[in-house]
Amino acid sequence: MELSTNEIKVLLFLRDANKEVAENEIKIETMSDREISSAISWLEVKGLTKVDKSTISQYSLGKEGNRYLSEGLPEEIAYSILRKEGKIPLGELFRRIGDKEGKIAVVQLSKLGIKPIGGVLNYSEIKNFEKIIGERKRFLEMVSSGVSVADDAELIGHFKKREGIIAEKKVTERHVAITSIGLEYLSTYDTTAKIDSLTSEIITSQEWKTKSFRRYDLNVPVERIYGASFHPLTYLINKIRRVFLEMGFSEMHGHYVEYAGWNMDALFIPQEHPARDLQDTFYLESDTEIEFEHPEIIDIVKKSHERGIPGYSGWGYEWGKERAMELLLRTHTTVNTIRYLYEHNEPPVAIFSVEKVFRHESVDWKHLAELFQIEGAVYSKDANISSLKWLMRKFYERLGFKDIKFIPSYYPYTEPSMDAVAYIDGREIELGGSGVFRPEVTKPLGLKQSVIAWGLGLERLAMMYYGLSDIRDIYESDIDWLRNYRIRF
Ligand code: PHE
């Protein structure tokens, strides 16, 4: 067993002391109290010292205690008035020394033998008064100067009952003694100073040739140190980003706040669609004007909603501009896709985003009101239902989901639409929606080729990755989980 120079110094001290010593009595030149304390702990772990812990009370003066020490105790002040004046009505006493002090003085004097009669205090001699007050004040002085008063149970009891005079603090004291193994160690091992750490001076001065070094002890138990690590969600987002980037997609970014016109109308979502109700969407009020980017789409969108496009009949209702001008927190990242494609309408384009969306949902084990959506889209002459299925299979496979099925679904902006489901441990898990954008979406906005897109919730995915049974756990930040999380695939 190798000991550090500091450990050896403490061990030698304890051997010479030849008895149990309080930790604060161990004084070693060149060592700070902290170093001594740490050496004691190590020696204990190694079995070379025995450490007894005991809890003791330490006292200090409270606010009142300090004041009484300089101005006198209330009972002392009142007694000296009494002695001079013979008697004093309580009201008069309270006025002269204060209500609070007055009451305390009456209580204390009563205990010593002077009780008020008919609202008046009358002087009579209290035996040993000077001695009693002297002891009380000496006690406060000792507390004030940090001298131990532990032996004086009576006065401790007395002042603990009186408010604000003394404050008690429990401290744990360690008493240390060398063990027989410790003694044996000192008699068997070479305890001459060894070098603990190698410095450049030791090398350049060639001191290393003559000195011996402390061996490195790999068996010493040490506290585990946790390095920084990514939040599980960040880890997953980075992984998803990598999958998309490796598949040749580029990342797009959108805004939290959108016009309904972009979030819904541009995607051919009819104005009476249930998703536009307050139930699902957070609408916003704003005093400042926010630019509606690309206002030229308003008329185009109105036409496709009301009358459709050649070959398609539209929804056949009267479209209102005001509803398109409502501000909201985006409800899906498909708004990123449609905006991006309108602004970059030269195919081929392959884009993705991993961004937040907001829905007016009540939060429970599988719903959040604020969640991340993963969105992927391809704009190309080769974009069709079979390339979509192929692409999604590849994408999910890279994320670890091998067994994927597609089931028919409905979104107002895609036709056909389908949802992807995965099978994990025999359970069916929804992975999100997808489809081929309807011509009523692409054609009016000047998109020349077809668009396929899919979207899924990041936190649902995280639940599967990390085996969580409650979606809220992701944001609870349980420190144990953050340190020890492992992915399942
Ligand atoms: N936007 C849909 C949702 O929020 C998902 C989706 C994306 C569907 C792309 C079709 C195409 O659930």
Side-chain angles (χ1 to χ4, degrees):
M1 183 166 26
E2 286 286 326
L3 297 190
S4 72
T5 313
N6 280 349
E7 285 161 11
I8 290 173
K9 282 184 192 161
V10 171
L11 206 57
L12 287 169
F13 181 99
L14 291 171
R15 184 193 63 190
D16 297 344
N18 200 20
K19 64 172 167 67
E20 191 178 81
V21 256
E23 176 172 347
N24 58 14
E25 284 163 22
I26 303 177
K27 296 281 172 229
I28 295 169
E29 245 182 284
T30 73
M31 278 180 81
S32 69
D33 288 349
R34 273 193 57 179
E35 285 170 325
I36 292 175
S37 177
S38 148
I40 292 171
S41 300
W42 281 114
L43 290 168
E44 187 191 8
V45 171
K46 296 171 183 176
L48 305 179
T49 58
K50 198 167 79 39
V51 177
D52 284 327
K53 290 195 182 100
S54 59
T55 307
I56 57 153
S57 295
Q58 275 180 0
Y59 298 95
S60 58
L61 285 192
K63 211 169 105 219
E64 304 294 338
N66 275 314
R67 203 154 51 80
Y68 294 168
L69 197 58
S70 59
E71 291 169 13
L73 291 156
E75 60 270 32
E76 178 187 8
I77 298 167
Y79 190 69
S80 80
I81 294 175
L82 264 188
R83 187 161 24 201
K84 231 184 286 158
E85 304 179 10
K87 63 175 171 201
I88 185 166
L90 293 187
E92 164 80 11
L93 176 73
F94 290 179
R95 217 179 47 250
R96 277 174 48 189
I97 72 171
D99 276 358
K100 194 171 154 209
E101 273 68 29
K103 281 180 195 148
I104 295 171
V106 172
V107 171
Q108 293 302 326
L109 288 179
S110 298
K111 287 188 182 163
L112 296 169
I114 298 182
K115 295 202 169 72
I117 302 160
V120 178
L121 280 179
N122 291 294
Y123 176 75
S124 67
E125 200 192 322
I126 297 173
K127 261 214 298 177
N128 293 331
F129 187 81
E130 265 71 38
K131 189 169 157 251
I132 294 168
I133 294 299
E135 279 167 358
R136 289 182 184 177
K137 288 172 85 175
R138 210 165 319 117
F139 178 89
L140 294 183
E141 262 158 27
M142 280 164 75
V143 171
S144 162
S145 55
V147 179
S148 169
V149 291
D151 295 339
D152 203 336
E154 203 184 314
L155 279 173
I156 290 173
H158 172 85
F159 281 116
K160 265 166 97 172
K161 278 190 229 131
R162 300 178 62 170
E163 219 175 294
I165 302 185
I166 56 172
E168 184 179 12
K169 198 175 101 192
K170 302 244 186 246
V171 289
T172 308
E173 250 189 6
R174 298 200 296 177
H175 292 266
V176 198
I178 189 164
T179 60
S180 51
I181 308 175
L183 288 169
E184 195 183 316
Y185 182 92
L186 289 182
S187 60
T188 359
Y189 286 84
D190 170 19
T191 54
T192 50
K194 288 187 187 165
I195 294 173
D196 285 326
S197 47
L198 187 60
T199 60
S200 54
E201 287 79 52
I202 295 174
I203 298 173
T204 47
S205 68
Q206 309 229 337
E207 206 187 330
W208 61 272
K209 288 188 172 163
T210 54
K211 285 272 164 63
S212 60
F213 285 84
R214 180 184 163 210
R215 285 231 312 268
Y216 213 82
D217 188 351
L218 292 173
N219 296 315
V220 174
V222 290
E223 207 179 306
R224 185 159 172 197
I225 294 172
Y226 292 90
S229 64
F230 282 118
H231 188 280
L233 216 49
T234 311
Y235 176 87
L236 195 54
I237 291 174
N238 288 344
K239 186 180 165 107
I240 291 162
R241 279 213 175 96
R242 207 161 50 234
V243 167
F244 270 122
L245 293 170
E246 283 170 5
M247 288 173 77
F249 286 65
S250 351
E251 186 162 5
M252 58 177 167
H253 299 285
H255 332 279
Y256 284 179
V257 175
E258 280 286 357
Y259 275 103
W262 275 105
N263 191 82
M264 320 255 195
D265 297 276
L267 284 164
F268 201 55
I269 300 177
Q271 294 195 324
E272 74 277 17
H273 193 275
R276 297 176 88 119
D277 287 353
L278 278 171
Q279 243 180 347
D280 288 313
T281 307
F282 289 111
Y283 286 95
L284 304 170
E285 282 170 10
S286 171
D287 294 335
T288 38
E289 280 282 311
I290 298 176
E291 185 196 346
F292 186 97
E293 284 167 288
H294 314 298
E296 70 281 4
I297 73 157
I298 291 171
D299 283 340
I300 302 172
V301 165
K302 177 181 166 73
K303 225 162 60 200
S304 72
H305 277 240
E306 290 183 349
R307 282 179 276 131
I309 54 167
Y312 298 86
S313 65
W315 296 114
Y317 69 102
E318 200 179 317
W319 187 85
K321 187 181 165 190
E322 322 70 55
R323 296 217 62 184
M325 291 298 147
E326 287 173 324
L327 284 170
L328 46 76
L329 289 175
R330 73 175 166 211
T331 58
H332 58 176
T333 43
T334 312
V335 62
N336 292 359
T337 301
I338 195 60
R339 246 179 197 284
Y340 187 92
L341 291 179
Y342 182 69
E343 288 162 7
H344 306 80
N345 66 359
E346 267 321 304
V349 172
I351 39 168
F352 77 96
S353 69
V354 187
E355 296 197 340
K356 257 191 187 166
V357 301
F358 304 84
R359 290 176 187 179
H360 199 221
E361 299 249 25
S362 21
V363 174
D364 65 23
W365 69 275
K366 67 171 192 171
H367 292 97
L368 293 167
E370 188 182 329
L371 58 133
F372 279 94
Q373 221 175 31
I374 306 160
E375 177 99 3
V378 173
Y379 168 43
S380 148
K381 64 180 182 1
D382 298 319
N384 54 46
I385 190 75
S386 64
S387 53
L388 175 61
K389 278 162 86 172
W390 177 85
L391 205 51
M392 284 173 80
R393 275 223 161 80
K394 287 282 162 220
F395 172 76
Y396 284 120
E397 228 166 65
R398 287 189 179 216
L399 287 181
F401 302 97
K402 305 260 180 302
D403 194 5
I404 301 289
K405 298 228 157 42
F406 296 103
I407 53 172
S409 184
Y410 175 79
Y411 298 95
Y413 37 94
T414 47
E415 181 59 39
S417 310
M418 49 187 197
D419 286 345
V421 285
Y423 293 90
I424 293 170
D425 306 333
R427 280 203 305 150
E428 192 181 290
I429 314 248
E430 292 166 35
L431 287 179
S434 67
V436 182
F437 276 15
R438 286 164 73 138
E440 293 99 317
V441 175
T442 50
K443 291 240 166 73
L445 296 183
L447 301 177
K448 309 177 259 268
Q449 294 176 356
S450 30
V451 175
I452 50 178
W454 73 101
L456 73 152
L458 174 72
E459 288 84 355
R460 290 274 178 94
L461 200 65
M463 280 175 87
M464 290 178 246
Y465 258 80
Y466 301 120
L468 302 174
S469 53
D470 193 320
I471 201 163
R472 292 166 290 196
D473 288 348
I474 298 167
Y475 291 104
E476 289 287 319
S477 298
D478 175 68
I479 195 80
D480 254 7
W481 180 57
L482 293 181
R483 280 173 173 167
N484 300 311
Y485 73 89
R486 295 280 174 275
I487 56 164
R488 289 182 48 189
F489 314 99

